[in-house]
Amino acid sequence: MRPKIYIDGKEGTTGLQIYERLGARDDLELLLIDEDKRKDTEERRKFLNAADIVFLCLPDAAAREAVSLIENDHTRVIDASTAHRTADGWAYGFPELSGDHRAAIQTSTRVANPGCHATGFIASVYPLVAHGVLSATDALTCFSLTGYSGGGKKMIASYEAEDKTDGLYAPRVYGLNLQHKHLPEMQKVCGLATPPVFCPVVDDYYKGMATTVMLPDHNVHIVWQALSSHYAGQKMVKVAPLGEGAPMISANTFAGRDSLTLYVHGHRSQTIVTALFDNLGKGASGAAVQNMNLMLGLDETTGLTL
């Protein structure tokens, strides 16, 4: 019997991307709610409880409500919202971080999909803390350049409007209150004493992300070796040869892919690590499908583009 899959919030950017990745597969049964009932609580309750795996592509409050509507012990949940990324009882959906993370995803009934910016930061920092290159008390700085698709339908519409304002043609720094919603998971998952100083930037291109962590007083060779060792043999996360990508890295290079590559550059005791990926791929929908594959005991790359 094919696993039954329900996407709650299929109309949003992440939900649509998940649907595109699953729609052509014949090993799954997609449960599709009637369009005029997609916000009907009782109808959603039926679908949530009928599914083997549910993707939640909803605002935080709606995601919490959806979980509360599940009344059985067999429906497994992958939440793409921010609601449960640091919550007790939820596995963090980044299997490449460790064997424990992978095992937790495979066996859990509740998996929190990582945030896009957080994916880039954690991919770089978690291994360096785990290998002792960084300490939990190190003060870290990160900036992350993303395409406008990460802002959802409203932002996409503003960037693609014929009469868009001049400011939308240039990179825009945001999160200026230094309280970005991804910071709690960045800190907790990496085991940091304090959150990083984090500066996100959105620019006038559709998708693709380059998240860069600055590492003063760290040898580039030691950083590269630790990351290469940590991700050896992984299918979805790779480390490029030292110095590859110079002299410039384009943030949209991995647009359309579901994998992530780390690029390490440095000079003397100054080092930077850049995670290059698609904010809609490994940064959202691709990661969600990878987690579903693991939960179903399938090859993690099934239906994904590397």
Side-chain angles (χ1 to χ4, degrees), residues 243-249 263 265:
E244 185 174 296
M248 292 186 181
I249 294 176
Y263 294 83
H265 298 87

Side-chain angles (χ1 to χ4, degrees), residues 78 85 90-106 111-127 185 189-190 230-231 234 236-238 258-262 275 277 282-283 287-288 290-291 294 300:
I78 301 170
R85 290 176 184 159
W90 286 73
Y92 191 72
F94 201 144
E96 293 84 4
L97 295 184
S98 72
D100 288 344
H101 284 84
R102 183 175 293 271
I105 294 164
Q106 291 170 326
V111 175
N113 214 52
C116 54
H117 295 293
T119 293
F121 177 85
I122 292 168
S124 300
V125 173
Y126 179 95
E185 64 186 291
V189 174
C190 293
H230 189 87
Y231 291 115
Q234 296 292 341
M236 305 287 291
V237 177
K238 304 292 184 183
D258 293 307
S259 54
L260 177 152
T261 296
L262 294 172
F277 57 109
K282 184 60 170 169
Q290 179 188 8
N291 287 324
L294 289 170
E300 64 189 305

Side-chain angles (χ1 to χ4, degrees), residues 127-147:
L128 297 179
V129 175
H131 289 264
V133 177
L134 295 177
S135 75
T137 57
D138 282 344
L140 300 177
T141 304
C142 172
F143 74 87
S144 186
L145 177 59
T146 183

